[in-house]
Amino acid sequence: MYRIVTKRELVPHINLFEFSAKEIAAKTKPGQFIILRVDEKGERVPLTMTGADPEKGTITVVCHEVGKSTRQLGQLKEGDCILDLLGPLGKPAEIEKFGTVLCIGGGVMVAPLYFQAKAFHETGNTVIGGIGARTENQLIFENEMREVCDELYVATDDGTRGYKGLGFLEGLLKERKIDRVITMGPVLMMKKVSELTRPYGVPTIVNLIPIMVDGMGMCGACRVTVGGRTMFACVDGPDFDGHQVDFEELMIRLKMFTPQEKLAFLFQEEGGRSL
Amino acid sequence: MSKPKPKIKKEVVSMPKQDSKERSHNFSEVALGYTRQQAVAEAERCLQCVKAPCINGCPVDVDIPAFVNLVRERKFDEAIRKVKEKNSLPAICGRVCPQEEQCQASCTLGKVGDPVSVGRLERFLADWERERGYEIPRKSASRGRRVAIVGAGPAGLTAAADLAKLGYEVVIFEALHKPGGVLIYGIPEFRLPKKIVEAEAEYIEKLGVTIKMNAIIGRLYTINELLEQFDAVFVGTGAGLPRFMRIPGENLCGIYSANEFLIRVNLMKAYDFPKYATPIYVGEKVAVIGGGNSAMDSARCALRLGAKEVKIVYRRSRQEMPTRAEEVENAEEEGIKFKFLSNPVRYFGDERGWVKGMECIKMELGEPDESGRRRPIPIKGSEFIIDVDTVIVAIGNTANPLIQRTTEGLEVTRWGTIVVDEETGKTSKEGVYAGGDVVSGVATVISAMGAGKRAACSIHRHLLRKKRMQQRKGS
């Protein structure tokens, strides 16, 4: 059993959890993820880590309530426990001194992006941040990102705050020498970022969490085509070269269980009585 | 006066099974097991050969004639004790061992009729004991030495049991949330109920073994870090990396690896969705690619999940299928269809990205290859199309690579399996032993257990030798 040490609602339906998990905390590096299971009947849910505190023995994740399992997690309180916590999974992100690193995050993934931005900052890179959300009141981790970025651009899809969409990116790529781009967020956003950086030849790393079951290379559910080859995101990734990823295939595969997910959600709404 | 010759009973006592029509819609166990009377009657068929060729067929050397004789005498508690001298997982082996290729293959009675049903008797005894509560065997006094086992599958559990009985402090590190390895994630409930795997794993814990779940070695700890805390390490991580054919369209929606399909169904209980939250999708027309146990298991699960038509597409012929005979029979009774000498070459998708058809090519059999089976060769121009909406790729697995990638100085083959001395399970790294599918590639539960036993024995010898050397230095 793994205890929730801290729970904080960042914005409605997006919560930060700090779990007591001493052994995992000691080994966690930016870019890695965990798989958790709330209870005996729960799914194995992969979540990219937002941080780890080896001294305190805790790891942090930020989770958006989008389906049955993430909502179930969202309903837990400080002091509650979850049944299983497996990690750290996946290869750690490549953190080196590249020069100027652009970290672009969207939605809930801004939180784990912060973990990488911080590491790049500590390694002596110039870190430019670009964070976004659908609308102004969905924006998370702005203050945290401001602390570790030399410059921070804020954007929203609907223009309620900062730039509208990825408008700021083109200008940056034209005017500045960017050595590396890291992007974490919705697949469509990562795809757009990769397309924008491609003509400039800037290495662009995307962090992919497709549908997964075991997270240790056994099931092959998370297969993605990268440079024409099939890779398993859980063990070969989760970071990949964004210019090589087949995003269309990934977006289709992510929707594979949508009807079932809706059914599970309804089942939960009904308190498990019907069906 | 000569003794009257006992009459040889040529026919096996059949084991009751769930009706095939009924069972193809549920996940309850297919075979129901012998009653006491049936077990005794079957045991009475045994000729009690002095040479006991059956024992040579058993990878863990169970004294088969002795336990069968005890069943005949109705001394069930002594009989199970006899089995467990060598085999700590009898309820599992009685259900999933390919007995017809092992102990039963060399049974003398098999030359004139059906061999003795060693597996069914083993299963009967194990179930008999489990219902009454386990007897915990006497252990050696603690040796003050610790052994780490990586992986709670058949090899790891067996090695752990043997080492615990010898007085070692044993900790198993298991990456999944339940112990059992392939027994829990791979083999379906209707063939091996999970409560039986849980019970046998609990028995191993009662021997004093600690099983640490959600602990992925290679990420949480490296082998070198384990060696700092333990006197020896056994690696039994199995062959869990699924193979794909790398043909066009293989990543379309609706195409699973057998591992994904079976993990969802077995470990995560997707057959009870949405009560259990893990979903599974099964369409009406299912094709399963491959001819092994996972192919058979996937096909039978798909049928139980509501598929209208399930076809096994296999590139060789029936004779070459490496499946347990009883399960092929069961599958056929349930209505699984077979398409032999055929192999997919590409998949077609619909506009939403879901598989809707596959092109196959017919095969013929050539000369035997390294596996001893005749090699399938495609027949040019023989392509044909099968309509499918779900495909399960069950063409085998390769060794789990995480330990190999994260352990310096561990010799590995070009297939990614760990190199060991076959007799001892010793790897190229001091104090590290390995066995089971991570060494052999995909094999049987019992051969993995055999490897676990051999490794446990040589770990014991290694640690005794080390102790003697330390004592000599000390004196």
Side-chain angles (χ1 to χ4, degrees):
Chain A
M1 300 289 269
Y2 299 82
R3 201 162 52 86
I4 299 170
V5 181
T6 312
K7 180 193 173 187
R8 211 169 75 223
E9 190 181 65
L10 302 177
V11 299
H13 304 295
I14 297 184
N15 294 298
L16 177 144
F17 294 92
E18 196 182 4
F19 290 105
S20 167
K22 199 169 163 226
E23 290 167 294
I24 302 175
K27 291 299 168 88
T28 296
K29 298 211 168 73
Q32 289 187 297
F33 64 99
I34 49 139
I35 283 189
L36 62 78
R37 206 168 62 122
V38 174
D39 62 20
E40 177 54 35
K41 291 179 178 158
E43 277 177 282
R44 292 170 68 89
V45 183
L47 292 169
T48 310
M49 280 185 277
T50 291
D53 187 337
E55 273 161 42
K56 217 170 142 193
T58 59
I59 57 149
T60 308
V61 292
V62 172
C63 180
H64 192 177
E65 293 176 29
V66 285
K68 177 185 170 170
S69 299
T70 46
R71 186 164 70 166
Q72 199 188 353
L73 179 64
Q75 284 164 353
L76 298 180
K77 295 185 275 302
E78 263 178 27
D80 286 348
C81 287
I82 58 163
L83 188 56
D84 298 306
L85 194 52
L86 168 72
L89 298 172
K91 289 182 183 165
E94 259 181 84
I95 307 288
E96 282 171 36
K97 191 162 177 191
F98 293 107
T100 302
V101 180
L102 183 56
C103 296
I104 301 179
V108 67
M109 295 304 280
V110 174
L113 179 71
Y114 158 75
F115 197 10
Q116 290 205 32
K118 189 170 145 221
F120 281 117
H121 175 74
E122 282 163 3
T123 320
N125 290 283
T126 300
V127 182
I128 305 176
I131 62 169
R134 267 207 320 273
T135 183
E136 184 179 12
N137 57 19
Q138 287 282 305
L139 212 55
I140 62 165
F141 262 61
E142 186 183 343
N143 293 337
E144 288 86 343
M145 280 297 278
R146 214 170 278 286
E147 271 172 38
V148 297
C149 292
D150 297 274
E151 290 166 48
L152 185 71
Y153 294 82
V154 177
T156 46
D157 292 347
D158 61 1
T160 44
R161 170 84 196 279
Y163 293 86
K164 192 166 178 184
L166 287 164
F168 66 95
L169 184 56
E170 197 103 24
L172 267 175
L173 288 163
K174 265 190 198 136
E175 288 155 26
R176 305 281 284 273
K177 186 185 169 291
I178 310 282
D179 298 292
R180 196 176 178 87
V181 173
I182 318 296
T183 176
M184 294 171 85
V187 178
L188 197 60
M189 186 203 95
M190 293 193 284
K191 179 181 178 234
K192 281 186 184 158
V193 170
S194 302
E195 276 166 7
L196 284 170
T197 60
R198 191 193 304 271
Y200 298 91
V202 182
T204 301
I205 307 301
V206 294
N207 184 279
L208 307 182
I209 302 290
I211 292 176
M212 274 181 197
V213 188
D214 63 283
M216 54 185 94
M218 283 173 66
C219 77
C222 67
R223 55 197 197 272
V224 285
T225 303
V226 183
R229 286 182 56 206
T230 295
M231 307 281 234
F232 291 178
C234 65
V235 287
D236 299 319
D239 282 352
F240 292 103
D241 176 354
H243 297 148
Q244 301 281 324
V245 171
D246 183 342
F247 287 105
E248 299 300 322
E249 180 188 273
L250 176 61
M251 283 189 277
I252 288 172
R253 286 189 64 85
L254 274 168
K255 285 189 214 138
M256 187 161 156
F257 290 101
T258 305
Q260 283 81 2
E261 278 157 16
K262 281 189 186 140
L263 192 66
F265 199 76
L266 280 175
F267 181 76
Q268 191 188 33
E269 295 250 285
E270 298 277 321
R273 280 186 301 274
S274 67
L275 296 159
Chain B
M1 216 174 71
S2 66
K3 265 199 250 170
K5 238 185 174 176
K7 200 168 165 255
I8 293 177
K9 287 188 197 129
K10 290 184 184 171
E11 270 182 38
V12 68
V13 176
S14 64
M15 178 166 54
K17 281 200 279 196
Q18 243 201 100
D19 174 70
S20 62
K21 276 216 186 78
E22 204 169 299
R23 74 178 189 242
S24 60
H25 300 290
N26 69 49
F27 274 81
S28 307
E29 196 169 13
V30 168
L32 302 172
Y34 277 154
T35 61
R36 279 176 185 222
Q37 285 75 13
Q38 286 167 330
V40 174
E42 181 62 17
E44 279 170 350
R45 295 177 62 232
C46 177
L47 301 175
Q48 293 289 310
C49 315
V50 183
K51 280 193 176 164
C54 47
I55 303 179
N56 299 331
C58 176
V60 298
D61 294 326
V62 171
D63 189 345
I64 295 163
F67 97 72
V68 174
N69 191 42
L70 287 163
V71 175
R72 175 154 54 186
E73 291 173 0
R74 294 178 175 265
K75 293 176 181 160
F76 303 137
D77 46 355
E78 282 177 50
I80 186 66
R81 219 172 284 151
K82 189 50 103 187
V83 173
K84 282 183 132 176
E85 279 175 10
K86 293 292 163 80
N87 185 349
S88 299
L89 309 170
I92 291 166
C93 289
R95 285 170 168 82
V96 304
C97 271
Q99 288 96 4
E100 70 273 8
E101 291 166 22
Q102 294 175 332
C103 49
Q104 294 174 197
S106 42
C107 175
T108 313
L109 201 53
K111 291 181 182 122
V112 294
D114 298 322
V116 174
S117 270
V118 180
R120 292 175 184 180
L121 291 174
E122 184 182 29
R123 169 189 165 138
F124 163 77
L125 287 173
D127 290 353
W128 186 86
E129 188 196 25
R130 194 178 60 256
E131 278 155 27
R132 278 159 189 77
Y134 289 121
E135 183 183 272
I136 304 303
R138 281 233 314 262
K139 294 197 302 182
S140 310
S142 169
R143 291 173 193 274
R145 288 277 186 281
R146 307 181 75 212
V147 181
I149 307 255
V150 187
L157 288 173
T158 302
D162 283 12
L163 288 163
K165 284 196 261 183
L166 286 165
Y168 292 96
E169 191 190 322
V170 182
V171 180
I172 304 183
F173 294 88
E174 167 56 48
L176 286 173
H177 57 253
K178 278 195 175 142
V182 70
L183 306 168
I184 205 95
Y185 75 74
I187 302 177
E189 182 75 15
F190 54 81
R191 200 148 79 77
L192 178 64
K194 298 298 153 263
K195 66 170 203 289
I196 288 173
V197 182
E198 279 158 23
E200 295 210 323
E202 266 170 43
Y203 166 75
I204 307 280
E205 287 182 291
K206 281 185 186 149
L207 294 173
V209 172
T210 305
I211 308 180
K212 216 167 132 47
M213 249 63 84
N214 295 310
I216 182 162
I217 301 304
R219 294 260 185 247
L220 195 62
Y221 300 109
T222 61
I223 295 290
N224 279 344
E225 284 169 327
L226 289 182
L227 284 170
E228 288 165 17
Q229 293 177 45
F230 293 90
D231 299 286
V233 176
F234 173 76
V235 180
T237 44
L241 197 73
R243 273 204 189 131
F244 285 95
M245 294 177 73
R246 297 176 187 272
I247 56 177
E250 211 169 19
N251 290 347
L252 286 164
C253 292
I255 304 182
Y256 302 95
S257 73
N259 265 7
E260 177 184 357
F261 191 75
L262 292 172
I263 290 174
R264 282 181 185 273
V265 178
N266 300 322
L267 178 71
M268 307 309 293
K269 298 196 192 314
Y271 58 83
D272 217 353
F273 177 84
K275 214 189 269 170
Y276 281 78
T278 304
I280 187 93
Y281 167 83
V282 176
E284 295 193 343
K285 291 176 182 165
V286 180
V288 180
I289 317 301
N293 282 317
S294 308
M296 215 61 59
D297 287 343
S298 301
R300 296 172 71 196
C301 284
L303 192 74
R304 282 162 172 75
L305 289 163
K308 290 223 170 85
E309 190 184 270
V310 184
K311 257 193 207 110
I312 289 187
V313 178
Y314 181 47
R315 61 191 184 135
R316 303 186 210 237
S317 71
R318 181 179 293 261
Q319 288 73 27
E320 286 81 24
M321 278 207 304
T323 323
R324 196 170 180 256
E326 191 177 315
E327 307 309 340
V328 184
E329 232 172 79
N330 284 338
E332 271 191 323
E333 281 174 17
E334 289 163 15
I336 305 285
K337 301 276 184 292
F338 292 85
K339 185 102 195 139
F340 294 111
L341 293 165
S342 304
N343 210 24
V345 287
R346 63 180 163 138
Y347 299 99
F348 306 105
D350 63 12
E351 63 291 341
R352 296 175 311 132
W354 280 77
V355 65
K356 65 170 184 183
M358 71 177 187
E359 185 177 311
C360 293
I361 190 161
K362 287 194 178 141
M363 312 290 275
E364 58 189 351
L365 294 178
E367 294 300 309
D369 61 13
E370 314 97 67
S371 75
R373 296 174 303 172
R374 295 179 64 194
R375 197 165 57 88
I377 304 163
I379 303 172
K380 267 194 191 137
S382 68
E383 289 85 354
F384 61 100
I385 287 171
I386 302 180
D387 284 345
V388 289
D389 52 18
T390 308
V391 174
I392 302 160
V393 182
I395 57 166
N397 295 327
T398 47
N400 270 358
L402 192 53
I403 301 279
Q404 293 86 316
R405 284 184 194 169
T406 53
T407 312
E408 273 169 47
L410 190 68
E411 200 188 326
V412 179
T413 67
R414 66 189 169 103
W415 298 278
T417 51
I418 299 176
V419 177
V420 299
D421 175 295
E422 262 196 46
E423 284 304 304
T424 59
K426 204 170 163 349
T427 69
S428 58
K429 203 171 163 71
E430 171 79 13
V432 180
Y433 296 74
D437 286 2
V438 74
V439 167
S440 60
V442 177
T444 59
V445 167
I446 191 79
S447 61
M449 290 174 59
K453 272 195 118 56
R454 285 195 297 279
C457 182
S458 48
I459 288 172
H460 177 46
R461 280 202 305 267
H462 165 71
L463 293 179
L464 283 179
R465 204 165 44 233
K466 217 164 130 185
K467 192 179 164 192
R468 273 199 305 273
M469 277 162 64
Q470 280 165 348
Q471 278 169 345
R472 238 177 268 158
K473 268 187 202 160
S475 65

